Amino acid sequence: MSSEIDWSKLGFDYIKTDKRFLAVWRDGAWQPGTLTEDNVLHISEGSTALHYGQQCFEGLKAYRCKDGSVNLFRPDQNAARMARSCDRTLMPSVPTDMFIDACQQVVRANDRFIPPYGTGGALYLRPFVIGVGDNIGVRTAPEFIFSVFCIPVGPYFKGGMKPHNFLVSGYDRAAPNGTGAAKVGGNYAASLMPGLEAKKRGFADAIYLDPISHTKIEEVGSANLFAITEDGKFVTPKSNSVLPGITRLSLMQLAKERLGLDVIEGDVFIDKLDAYKEAGACGTAAVITPIGGIEHNGKLHVFHSETEVGPVTKKLYNELIGIQTGTIEGPAGWIVKV
């Protein structure tokens, strides 16, 4: 299969790979997991994941380095976030060691699917936990499945990074004290309609404001927002409804330690965008999507440019990609070799 893959044409689409990891929780403990070729889950029709949304997931990447080795980027942070999501949805958390070991097993078993160094691609890993077993009442499941599968994905930006425009949505992504900070499917189900509406109007995706006052930016599609002020500060929204992204966390540290910027977690008011000279969306899939402009109430606010990437955004992108692919030394503990 891998010999048939045109690495230059990889997108972000499902491709069946050789092996995936699967473990079951029952009788109060996780059972020993195993690698399997079966990419179909066999679960009860009464599974809480199907009826009540008791599930969560993660996303991280493995990168082929110039010397042929393979890097996992900050898997401990994904393990910690999944544990928080499990706690929020009354599911047993997956121990960090088990999480990282499962990811490493999956990467090794699917080595031939890792895009070569220099292609811009990576092996995307999707760990998830779901509530399963015979049940029909609104309560936590009697059993759970933890699984990790992977797919080869291409560079998010064909032809390099380019700014995209976004549309402010009138819909809310998550409730004020709801599950916005957990990586659960319901948040994404809520975003499907506004995301489609934005794309039909020619925008890359929707932007969501805070659900209480609708005055502050919270998230950009399924990614976090960052903005660079006119006086050179790195600002990213702080809210109980915002997903604490691993890329966002990493950019905050790099902005401070590598670029010497003041980093602020605070409010980004939709009516005060003139304070920012650059803006971007950040996440595992895209790393950084430069934001050209944001349309709100019929008016498009343009940041640095609709066609050119801002200098600070470009520096952050190059630094992060360099660390992930092994050409730049990263902070201690960021890279786990497979």
Side-chain angles (χ1 to χ4, degrees):
M1 171 66 182
S2 61
S3 61
E4 302 171 7
I5 294 176
D6 185 342
W7 302 113
S8 67
K9 294 183 179 179
L10 272 179
F12 198 84
D13 301 294
Y14 181 84
I15 295 174
K16 184 184 178 183
T17 50
D18 292 335
K19 299 284 183 68
R20 65 276 308 130
F21 179 89
L22 187 74
V24 175
W25 186 96
R26 63 166 63 96
D27 300 326
W30 286 108
Q31 307 301 306
T34 185
L35 291 173
T36 174
E37 294 182 3
D38 189 0
N39 70 330
V40 178
L41 292 175
H42 304 269
I43 63 175
S44 168
E45 62 189 356
S47 294
T48 59
L50 300 177
H51 301 278
Y52 308 123
Q54 192 181 30
Q55 58 84 245
C56 66
F57 67 98
E58 278 298 321
L60 66 158
K61 287 178 177 176
Y63 302 85
R64 179 79 71 191
C65 299
K66 198 171 186 178
D67 63 3
S69 64
V70 179
N71 284 350
L72 273 176
F73 183 71
R74 309 194 76 178
D76 59 318
Q77 293 297 320
N78 291 96
R81 187 171 64 182
M82 175 169 270
R84 295 193 297 269
S85 295
C86 285
D87 288 345
R88 180 63 180 83
T89 51
L90 289 183
M91 298 192 294
S93 60
V94 177
T96 297
D97 290 348
M98 180 181 179
F99 180 98
I100 295 177
D101 178 64
C103 290
Q104 290 177 312
Q105 286 190 50
V106 170
V107 173
R108 292 191 195 105
N110 296 285
D111 181 82
R112 68 192 184 96
F113 288 95
I114 304 174
Y117 174 81
T119 61
L123 190 70
Y124 180 85
L125 279 74
R126 171 55 59 85
F128 62 91
V129 177
I130 59 174
V132 296
D134 295 329
N135 177 68
I136 201 62
V138 182
R139 52 180 171 264
T140 190
E143 296 183 1
F144 299 87
I145 287 175
F146 166 55
S147 183
V148 183
F149 69 90
C150 67
I151 57 170
V153 297
Y156 197 85
F157 307 108
K158 299 298 182 183
M161 276 208 303
K162 295 178 182 177
H164 292 74
N165 291 345
F166 293 82
L167 176 67
V168 173
S169 175
Y171 289 97
D172 293 330
R173 172 185 163 272
N177 293 307
T179 57
K183 198 166 176 66
V184 297
N187 299 338
Y188 296 83
S191 74
L192 292 176
M193 182 185 290
L196 179 60
E197 290 181 359
K199 289 166 187 172
K200 282 182 176 179
R201 292 183 53 184
F203 294 89
D205 211 331
I207 279 183
Y208 301 98
L209 303 180
D210 72 286
I212 296 179
S213 69
H214 291 157
T215 60
K216 298 172 285 188
I217 294 178
E218 289 209 330
E219 296 219 11
V220 184
S222 57
N224 293 132
L225 176 95
F226 72 87
I228 310 300
T229 66
E230 290 290 346
D231 58 354
K233 294 182 176 67
F234 179 103
V235 182
T236 186
K238 183 177 179 62
S239 164
N240 291 333
S241 299
V242 169
L243 181 72
I246 313 304
T247 305
R248 169 183 177 270
L249 181 70
S250 303
L251 290 178
M252 289 168 62
Q253 186 171 337
L254 293 177
K256 181 179 180 179
E257 296 180 0
R258 302 281 173 99
L259 273 63
L261 304 179
D262 288 335
V263 173
I264 299 170
E265 285 187 89
D267 296 331
V268 178
F269 289 98
I270 190 63
D271 62 353
K272 295 182 179 178
L273 297 181
D274 287 338
Y276 307 101
K277 60 182 179 181
E278 296 179 39
C282 58
T284 297
V287 185
I288 291 176
T289 301
I291 298 177
I294 294 176
E295 181 171 309
H296 180 53
N297 291 335
K299 296 181 180 179
L300 180 69
H301 175 87
V302 176
F303 295 95
H304 177 76
S305 167
E306 288 186 79
T307 57
E308 301 294 329
V309 182
V312 177
T313 301
K314 190 176 295 183
K315 286 179 183 177
L316 286 168
Y317 177 81
N318 290 338
E319 191 76 18
L320 187 58
I321 285 290
I323 292 170
Q324 291 171 335
T325 57
T327 60
I328 296 176
E329 186 74 21
W334 278 25
I335 297 298
V336 173
K337 286 291 184 182
V338 175

